[in-house]
Amino acid sequence: MTNNNSAWNSRRRLARIRCLFESIRCFSEGKPLPECLCYIPAEVEYQTQHRSVVKLYQDVQKSSKKVGEIVLTSESRLVVSGEEYCNSQGKWLKVRKFKSCPSSDYVTYDSDAWVLQYSSKSATDDPALQIIPCNSLNKNRKRSDSWEDAVEQHFAGQFLTRRVQLADCDKSAMSRLMEIPAGWTLEGDEELVRLMSQHIPPDNDHLGSIKSFVESVDVSSCCDDEAGPSCLTDADPDTYWESDGSQGNHWILLKMKKGTVILKLQLTLDGSDDNYLPARVTVQGGEQENLSVLRSLAIDWEVKDVEDVTILENMTEHYPIIMILIKECKAGGIDTRIRGIKISSSEGRYLGFDRDFFKGENLVRYPKLEPYPPDQLYRRSLLLQRLMVILDSVLPYIVPAWEYSIGSYNSLELVRQLLPLSKKRLNLIETFIKESSSERPAEIPKLFINRRAAMEHRCNVTQDSDFRNTIFMQIYEGLKPRDRTAKPLNYRWTSRYEQWWECKFMSEGVIDQGGGFRDSLSDLAEELCPMAADKPLPLPFFIRAPNQLRDDSNVNKDVYIPNPAFKEFAKYEWVGQLMGACLRGKENLILAFPSFVWKRLAGETVSWSRNFNTVDAAEVTLIDNMEAIDKEKFLILGRTWSTVLSDGTAVLMKVDDKGNPLDLMYEDRKEYCDKVRKIRMAESDEQLEAIRKGLLKVVPQAVLDLMTWQELEHRVSGDPEITMDDLKRSIRYDDVEETDTRVKYMWEALKSFSNEDRSRFLRFVTGRRRLPAPVHISSGKGDSVDCLPESSTCANTLYLPNYTSAKTAEEKLRYASYNCMDMDADVNPWDE
């Protein structure tokens, strides 16, 4: 029987992997996702164990007309539509039929009749309807209404069909779920995931495997920080929570997620803990101020092994609070030790995404989603969440924790930007980082840094042609092993080591207790990618991207790229190692790279039009339009078979006998454009490979494979805060006064902006994402009121119209910050 179960589970797992890869193929080809992934049962039968009176509504609003009531008892059966409806009020079920007891006939509801199963309010304000799908309580079920069973049966064949029979499906509802919105592409899914991932409640790191069912865990006391409540949920039997209180007064409090109905609650205990073992336990449940005893039990300890002891099972209703009281310990022990908590549940649903979520202000930052109605976005979000459930269930087998250093997992590359919805990915990443860590050297290196010499170099970079006085070179040389037996730093230590070297700043009298180290890292980053755009570069490793040098409206005017002409790859490799150390730890190395560079470092696929425009937007527009230009306009250009790299180096593709580039003929323009794209996108290949090589010396390949480029940038360079004080210091007023009403409204709007909003605002006005950047405020063009603001990134100027309220100013400024840049980018230079 064991072998049969093992084979059955393997078939199920294989079916899910097949579904995942088939879904990825569908994304690639722009086809609807597999039909079985969209399975919706025609009907679902519910039951309850408690008598309750349920109101029926004509519509999915509690303010709508009430069309009746039904009385539910333990013998009642409520049959509803399999298609759920979630809005801002909660989860609704459409009633199909009802019978009060087994012997009675079903009452059929032909007109609309809705019941509210879960409210979006707290359980205290609006208790959930205590009904449970009948199938969830039937361990020997022969019939299923689960979409996961539908996936497994479709991709595993007849082997699983004999186990369970699928309920009839709702073809109409499935068609709606499968439908691809008009004009929708993978970019739409990526934008949708970005929206959703910003609103998913952060996982509580202390909740481990029970986080799907529990909002928080609290305990009566802890003997120390190493034996706190996180040990109850870390799935490690070698760790434990140990109380520190008076005898018989120890407790664990679980705040349950809405809708969670406990099928089994277990404590993990170790017989070797002797008199720390609980001997008598009472479990209570209910509201915080009204708990009732659910079970009391005595635990008889004869064995010495680790085992799970069930203290509660087969509950039929949701309890907002579960309190576990340790009344007695073995042999009169005073304190207790518990090594884990495990929960299985029949129902647990996060109600964060509903139809009302996908409209209004939530979409302002996501212009690609705005044209689509909430219903379409909601259904697409459901499908993406289902796909992530499939991914999470097989992710440890696709990217096994014991093989984190082997190869690249390119099978997930196409859907890399969908991975933020995965619930298991981040834990797997942290496992890889933990398993690949090493001990830091017993003594950290001590460096002597001359910041005065580095400052003098910045003022006149020509005096130090080998840039040895820079902070970068002083640290780089100072960290080299001093003898043959010494080993270089590998930077693979854990995040608890917050200082990688100790700094002694010459002639400054600073004692480095971490602050000096962080200062040196900040100085090093400033040398690599200076925030000031008008100063010479202290180091040759990175150059200002063409976008930073042009007087146009592009929004990537603060970015740097690896210098194609600089060939000291060992130093690039060391930069990659520092980036890997930041990823593993808590420090940041602020590197102003465009998304094209971050995507290359993360191993993501890059494209000319979508990504290289963050390096050289003018060249991308020029080349893309050259293919469609008419011959008359083309001849005006007078192009040759040559192009210029970002560092100014000319590349000749076809030359005459004298070595001069040949003139480009109109009929050859497509070949020319293809060659230019290839050359420009590969101009920094060697340098990027060196940085990535250093990064992979510190971080396992699998970590980068599971991260998006945005996450890599955040882990390495952080999320630089744009404070109100810093922003005010950057503002200059041209023809308006600081006391002007429109200016006051602007500051009220910026005060309510998130850091990302402020960064977008800064990019809208100056083309730069981070301060410092000069910002000039001028009056709006014309006399219009409540219109969108305009900007000139060439002049770093915001043209601010008059607004009737601070709220209107906030809405217009935010919309322009996220949308108006795209409009500027769409201007065709050939039409000028």
Side-chain angles (χ1 to χ4, degrees):
M1 185 65 180
T2 302
N3 290 336
N4 287 339
N5 284 334
S6 177
W8 183 60
N9 289 331
S10 296
R11 288 279 187 114
R12 294 177 61 200
R13 194 157 46 241
L14 180 59
R16 288 169 177 252
I17 292 174
R18 287 172 174 169
C19 176
L20 175 64
F21 290 156
E22 175 65 15
S23 299
I24 292 174
R25 187 183 66 81
C26 291
F27 281 122
S28 175
E29 298 176 1
K31 295 179 178 179
L33 293 177
E35 185 179 38
C36 57
L37 189 65
C38 307
Y39 171 80
I40 296 173
E43 295 179 345
V44 179
E45 188 177 42
Y46 282 84
Q47 67 183 84
T48 184
Q49 297 296 320
H50 300 272
R51 186 182 186 278
S52 58
V53 179
V54 180
K55 297 176 182 178
L56 303 180
Y57 296 88
Q58 190 176 46
D59 201 357
V60 287
Q61 295 289 335
K62 287 190 286 187
S63 59
S64 66
K65 179 181 177 182
K66 295 179 179 62
V67 294
E69 291 182 345
I70 55 177
V71 178
L72 292 176
T73 66
S74 59
E75 295 186 332
S76 303
R77 294 295 181 268
L78 180 67
V79 178
V80 303
S81 168
E83 186 178 26
E84 301 170 356
Y85 191 102
C86 292
N87 60 13
S88 58
Q89 294 190 357
K91 174 184 172 182
W92 295 84
L93 303 176
K94 187 174 184 179
V95 178
R96 291 283 181 84
K97 51 189 180 182
F98 166 76
K99 66 177 179 180
S100 57
C101 63
S103 59
S104 63
D105 294 330
Y106 273 110
V107 176
T108 302
Y109 290 83
D110 296 324
S111 57
D112 288 352
W114 296 87
V115 296
L116 184 62
Q117 183 182 15
Y118 299 132
S119 172
S120 57
K121 296 182 178 180
S122 68
T124 304
D125 297 336
D126 202 346
L129 179 60
Q130 302 299 335
I131 58 175
I132 305 170
C134 296
N135 272 342
S136 65
L137 298 179
N138 185 1
K139 295 182 179 179
N140 298 315
R141 61 193 178 99
K142 298 295 184 182
R143 191 173 177 82
S144 171
D145 50 31
S146 164
W147 66 265
E148 293 181 67
D149 285 339
V151 166
E152 291 172 359
Q153 288 201 16
H154 177 81
F155 285 100
Q158 293 298 313
F159 183 85
L160 293 180
T161 306
R162 292 195 294 271
R163 289 286 182 116
V164 64
Q165 183 69 36
L166 283 177
D168 293 338
C169 64
D170 186 333
K171 288 287 188 182
S172 176
M174 288 176 62
S175 295
R176 288 192 293 271
L177 190 57
M178 283 185 67
E179 178 188 9
I180 299 178
W184 191 265
T185 64
L186 182 58
E187 290 181 37
D189 288 314
E190 294 172 350
E191 187 101 322
L192 189 58
V193 167
R194 281 192 284 275
L195 165 64
M196 296 164 67
S197 63
Q198 292 299 314
H199 292 82
I200 295 175
D203 282 342
N204 188 329
D205 293 336
H206 300 307
L207 295 180
S209 60
I210 68 172
K211 62 187 176 185
S212 298
F213 313 119
V214 176
E215 289 184 2
S216 64
V217 177
D218 197 8
V219 294
S220 53
S221 59
C222 301
C223 67
D224 58 49
D225 292 339
E226 297 294 323
S230 62
C231 297
L232 293 170
T233 57
D234 62 3
D236 185 353
D238 293 330
T239 64
Y240 52 79
W241 163 64
E242 182 177 320
S243 64
D244 182 22
S246 57
Q247 191 176 38
N249 289 311
H250 313 309
W251 50 261
I252 303 169
L253 185 146
L254 308 177
K255 184 178 179 182
M256 310 301 294
K257 285 190 175 180
K258 194 179 303 175
T260 300
V261 179
I262 294 176
L263 291 183
K264 187 174 288 187
L265 173 62
Q266 296 176 309
L267 299 181
T268 302
L269 305 172
D270 189 337
S272 65
D273 285 335
D274 200 27
N275 62 350
Y276 284 96
L277 292 167
R280 187 162 65 88
V281 176
T282 297
V283 185
Q284 297 178 341
E287 301 289 348
Q288 180 73 61
E289 305 300 327
N290 187 26
L291 298 174
S292 57
V293 174
L294 303 179
R295 189 186 181 194
S296 293
L297 71 156
I299 303 175
D300 182 21
W301 280 99
E302 298 295 336
V303 295
K304 296 294 184 182
D305 296 330
V306 175
E307 67 176 73
D308 298 326
V309 176
T310 300
I311 60 173
L312 194 67
E313 60 184 333
N314 295 330
M315 294 294 100
T316 56
E317 64 179 286
H318 166 70
Y319 296 99
I321 300 294
I322 294 292
M323 178 76 82
I324 304 170
L325 303 170
I326 315 299
K327 293 292 190 179
E328 292 180 14
C329 291
K330 181 181 177 182
I334 296 176
D335 284 303
T336 190
R337 285 180 184 171
I338 310 292
R339 294 182 176 264
I341 294 176
K342 295 180 179 179
I343 296 175
S344 58
S345 169
S346 63
E347 186 77 27
R349 181 181 176 84
Y350 167 61
L351 296 177
F353 299 121
D354 54 62
R355 283 167 169 78
D356 296 331
F357 171 81
F358 296 99
K359 63 182 181 182
E361 291 186 359
N362 287 340
L363 301 186
V364 168
R365 300 176 180 89
Y366 307 92
K368 285 187 175 67
L369 304 181
E370 284 194 303
Y372 297 96
D375 274 2
Q376 285 187 328
L377 296 178
Y378 171 70
R379 285 194 291 268
R380 194 67 183 177
S381 75
L382 288 180
L383 207 48
L384 292 175
Q385 290 176 82
R386 286 188 176 189
L387 183 61
M388 286 303 109
V389 170
I390 295 296
L391 172 66
D392 282 342
S393 67
V394 298
L395 190 58
Y397 299 92
I398 297 176
V399 190
W402 58 89
E403 293 184 353
Y404 58 80
S405 61
I406 298 178
S408 178
Y409 302 95
N410 291 324
S411 57
L412 299 179
E413 169 55 32
L414 185 71
V415 294
R416 179 91 69 101
Q417 289 293 321
L418 308 185
L419 295 183
L421 289 185
S422 167
K423 295 181 179 179
K424 291 189 176 181
R425 177 184 61 105
L426 292 181
N427 287 337
L428 199 57
I429 286 173
E430 294 307 319
T431 297
F432 294 157
I433 290 176
K434 181 180 178 181
E435 293 297 324
S436 62
S437 63
S438 61
E439 286 298 320
R440 191 181 64 166
E443 292 187 11
I444 63 174
K446 294 180 175 59
L447 306 179
F448 291 88
I449 306 295
N450 188 335
R451 291 203 284 196
R452 183 182 298 276
M455 181 63 69
E456 290 173 354
H457 169 75
R458 280 190 214 129
C459 294
N460 188 353
V461 297
T462 60
Q463 290 185 354
D464 181 19
S465 59
D466 57 1
F467 47 90
R468 287 193 170 276
N469 288 330
T470 61
I471 300 294
F472 179 97
M473 287 302 298
Q474 291 183 60
I475 296 175
Y476 180 78
E477 294 294 335
L479 292 176
K480 285 184 176 180
R482 295 306 175 192
D483 55 66
R484 293 182 179 180
T485 60
K487 294 182 178 180
L489 300 179
N490 66 17
Y491 303 96
R492 296 175 77 101
W493 42 76
T494 61
S495 61
R496 71 175 181 269
Y497 297 120
E498 298 182 1
Q499 187 171 356
W500 311 339
W501 55 75
E502 182 181 330
C503 286
K504 172 67 176 177
F505 294 115
M506 298 170 66
S507 304
E508 295 187 42
V510 175
I511 299 175
D512 186 7
Q513 295 180 330
F517 158 69
R518 286 189 290 274
D519 281 349
S520 71
L521 206 58
S522 296
D523 291 341
L524 184 152
E526 177 63 21
E527 289 179 343
L528 289 172
C529 300
M531 298 192 76
D534 56 348
K535 301 287 180 66
L537 298 177
L539 291 166
F541 305 130
F542 300 98
I543 59 173
R544 293 182 173 100
N547 279 344
Q548 197 172 152
L549 305 175
R550 290 197 170 97
D551 264 347
D552 56 28
S553 62
N554 82 80
V555 295
N556 292 277
K557 291 174 67 175
D558 59 348
V559 295
Y560 292 78
I561 61 171
N563 185 351
F566 194 71
K567 305 294 184 180
E568 294 189 25
F569 301 120
K571 294 183 176 66
Y572 282 115
E573 193 173 314
W574 184 61
V575 171
Q577 287 182 284
L578 293 180
M579 294 171 67
C582 290
L583 191 154
R584 299 183 75 97
K586 300 177 181 178
E587 301 304 324
N588 293 133
L589 187 69
I590 299 177
L591 301 171
F593 294 157
S595 62
F596 175 80
V597 170
W598 287 113
K599 292 189 80 168
R600 290 287 304 274
L601 294 176
E604 290 193 40
T605 302
V606 292
S607 69
W608 170 261
S609 298
R610 285 190 63 188
N611 304 125
F612 198 74
N613 66 334
T614 63
V615 175
D616 194 344
E619 182 77 346
V620 168
T621 303
L622 179 71
I623 295 300
D624 285 352
N625 283 283
M626 186 180 291
E627 291 183 332
I629 192 175
D630 62 48
K631 190 169 185 177
E632 183 179 347
K633 288 183 178 179
F634 175 83
L635 293 175
I636 297 174
L637 290 175
R639 299 285 287 198
T640 64
W641 276 94
S642 64
T643 189
V644 178
L645 304 184
S646 294
D647 66 343
T649 301
V651 177
L652 310 183
M653 291 174 270
K654 293 185 180 182
V655 297
D656 58 21
D657 295 339
K658 297 180 180 180
N660 298 316
L662 295 174
D663 291 335
L664 178 63
M665 299 293 103
Y666 179 73
E667 55 272 15
D668 297 329
R669 69 191 188 285
K670 187 178 188 311
E671 179 189 356
Y672 170 81
C673 291
D674 289 340
K675 285 182 177 295
V676 169
R677 292 185 183 108
K678 185 176 181 179
I679 291 170
R680 291 299 309 278
M681 289 183 70
E683 63 185 8
S684 299
D685 273 5
E686 292 178 304
Q687 292 77 14
L688 287 169
E689 282 303 312
I691 297 172
R692 185 170 161 85
K693 181 180 178 181
L695 189 56
L696 289 173
K697 281 187 174 181
V698 182
V699 178
Q701 171 80 58
V703 169
L704 294 187
D705 289 341
L706 291 174
M707 273 187 171
T708 64
W709 70 263
Q710 296 96 327
E711 291 168 329
L712 175 62
E713 180 183 20
H714 179 78
R715 293 281 290 253
V716 172
S717 294
D719 187 15
E721 184 178 3
I722 300 174
T723 67
M724 290 292 288
D725 289 340
D726 290 339
L727 201 52
K728 286 180 178 179
R729 282 193 287 268
S730 303
I731 295 289
R732 300 291 181 270
Y733 300 96
D734 290 344
D735 60 350
V736 293
E737 299 293 333
E738 188 172 0
T739 56
D740 193 297
T741 302
R742 76 188 88 179
V743 174
K744 291 181 179 179
Y745 285 162
M746 179 194 74
W747 284 117
E748 287 186 45
L750 292 174
K751 186 177 180 180
S752 66
F753 273 20
S754 68
N755 194 70
E756 173 66 11
D757 292 340
R758 292 174 189 167
S759 178
R760 292 279 188 161
F761 168 79
L762 202 61
R763 291 179 68 184
F764 170 60
V765 179
T766 71
R768 294 178 174 86
R769 296 172 299 163
R770 301 172 184 174
L771 293 173
V775 178
H776 295 268
I777 306 298
S778 184
S779 58
K781 300 177 180 179
D783 299 322
S784 299
V785 177
D786 289 347
C787 62
L788 288 172
E790 298 179 56
S791 70
S792 169
T793 56
C794 302
N796 300 311
T797 300
L798 173 70
Y799 298 99
L800 194 63
N802 286 301
Y803 293 112
T804 53
S805 69
K807 182 172 178 57
T808 301
E810 179 182 345
E811 291 173 354
K812 299 296 184 181
L813 283 169
R814 181 179 284 117
Y815 186 89
S817 298
Y818 278 88
N819 296 271
C820 292
M821 294 177 295
D822 289 342
M823 298 178 205
D824 291 341
D826 287 339
V827 175
N828 188 340
W830 303 106
D831 294 336
E832 294 180 355

